[in-house]
Amino acid sequence: MHTALCIAALAGLAYSAPQLINLDEIALDFAKPVLVKAPVNVVSNIPAPSIAPTILPLLSTSAKKRDLEVEKRDGDCSPYPAGSGPVPSPDTPAAFQSDPDFANMANDAPTPDGYAVVFNNLGASLQASNYKGLYTLTSYDTLTCASYCDQASGCSAFNIYLERDPTVNPNAVSCPNPPSTTNFKCTLWGAPVSSAEATNSGQYQDSFQVVIAGSNAYNKDAPPPAVSGYVGPQELGGAINAPTSSGSYIGYQYFPFSQSQGYDPQTCGDACDAQTTYDSQHPAADGSFMSCVFFNAYVLSENAIPQGLYCSLYNETWGPSYGTNYGQYRGSDRYTVSESYSYTKSS
């Protein structure tokens, strides 16, 4: 049963002395992370999940500062998949890097809700630790890239950029410098990133020069706070999409954002509790009623603009594997799900 609620948000502050990080011990006992960059000439690349973290040697300082690396190849001139982006004229690395349309794509891209901009419109992509995978997109679409990050377990940041790639597999004799194609790349990272890690400016493949343009990076915001009386938050890739046959879906409450209403999952917890109270006071003929024991709180955005807090209420707990509703279209308007978390009643 869907009821209208008007619930005041509660806020509290707590203070404690900061706990210092033992930097000396970290430097002594732990190796520094290896910086990884996304591969070239692949449509997607999702590493298998690691059972345990692996510590590898740190790249040398000279390796970090060297010029564009030259990849020794023995290609066969076979075609690569065509990219979805435009190719500048003239078809040169310099024209690619200075193309104003590419800069406009990066500068005008919306910042996905739940993320913060790290850097904007650089000529290099990330070379960082904890690489989580790569997707090739059909457009410069920060919302889709953010959705991939939300769906990937442990993803904390993403990098979107345009990459100048060869149209064929270069061969030193037959096709050393083929025409280019433009790919929209989306890479995912398992740790927060910084502008200092944007050091992958490209490479040579025989005489063909791979370069980067319009590189933007975004870090995921911190998770929301705990909700009184509930266990959580549990991060979800999208909104819960439970089987309708289960009969566990009670309904939803929606709270448009306003000066007094922001993203506060406690509001959803209060709505869940209020729903149980209401239904217990209005039972079925046999005296039974549905208790709300689980809710999914997320931000619903229209065309990248956050609209309100959406609370889905359930009388059964659902795991993250059911968080598969990433958004939808209504006519030409695009609705997306972000900051999706679930909470389970603690008793």
Side-chain angles (χ1 to χ4, degrees), residues 253-321:
Q253 294 288 347
Y254 179 68
F255 301 89
F257 290 147
S258 65
Q259 186 174 0
S260 59
Q261 177 63 60
Y263 179 72
D264 184 5
Q266 182 67 56
T267 302
C268 293
D270 293 342
C272 190
D273 291 341
Q275 189 68 45
T276 298
T277 299
Y278 179 89
D279 287 345
S280 68
Q281 295 171 349
H282 299 80
D286 62 359
S288 64
F289 64 93
M290 295 179 70
S291 296
C292 183
V293 301
F294 175 83
F295 69 85
N296 176 200
Y298 61 89
V299 174
L300 184 66
S301 297
E302 179 186 5
N303 300 322
I305 300 175
Q307 301 295 306
L309 171 65
Y310 197 102
C311 310
S312 296
L313 312 180
Y314 298 84
N315 79 332
E316 183 180 349
T317 298
W318 297 97
S321 62

Side-chain angles (χ1 to χ4, degrees), residues 96-98 102 121-124 140 160-164 211-215:
F96 187 95
Q97 290 178 307
S98 62
F102 295 167
N121 193 32
L122 297 186
Y140 198 100
I160 185 171
Y161 54 93
L162 299 103
E163 185 175 86
R164 180 181 189 263
V211 292
I212 309 296
S215 180

Side-chain angles (χ1 to χ4, degrees), residues 81-244:
S84 300
V87 175
S89 180
D91 184 4
T92 64
F96 187 95
Q97 290 178 307
S98 62
D99 190 291
D101 291 335
F102 295 167
N104 289 338
M105 290 180 192
N107 291 327
D108 297 341
T111 300
D113 181 68
Y115 289 82
V117 178
V118 179
F119 57 77
N120 175 254
N121 193 32
L122 297 186
S125 61
L126 283 170
Q127 183 166 293
S129 60
N130 210 338
Y131 170 67
K132 303 290 287 186
L134 172 147
Y135 293 90
T136 298
L137 308 179
T138 57
S139 63
Y140 198 100
D141 189 349
T142 52
L143 301 183
T144 293
C145 197
S147 179
Y148 282 133
C149 186
D150 289 342
Q151 297 170 52
S153 176
C155 182
S156 298
F158 71 87
N159 182 200
I160 185 171
Y161 54 93
L162 299 103
E163 185 175 86
R164 180 181 189 263
D165 292 323
T167 51
V168 301
N169 191 352
N171 178 281
V173 176
S174 304
C175 54
N177 190 19
S180 77
T181 190
T182 301
N183 281 303
F184 299 104
K185 295 296 183 75
C186 163
T187 59
L188 312 181
W189 303 89
V193 298
S194 70
S195 58
E197 296 172 298
T199 58
N200 179 22
S201 54
Q203 64 186 48
Y204 278 95
Q205 295 182 356
D206 289 320
S207 298
F208 183 90
Q209 187 177 352
V210 175
V211 292
I212 309 296
S215 180
N216 288 8
Y218 304 83
N219 278 335
K220 184 176 289 188
D221 291 339
V227 171
S228 177
Y230 289 81
V231 177
Q234 170 66 61
E235 185 178 10
L236 305 174
I240 289 291
N241 190 12
T244 56

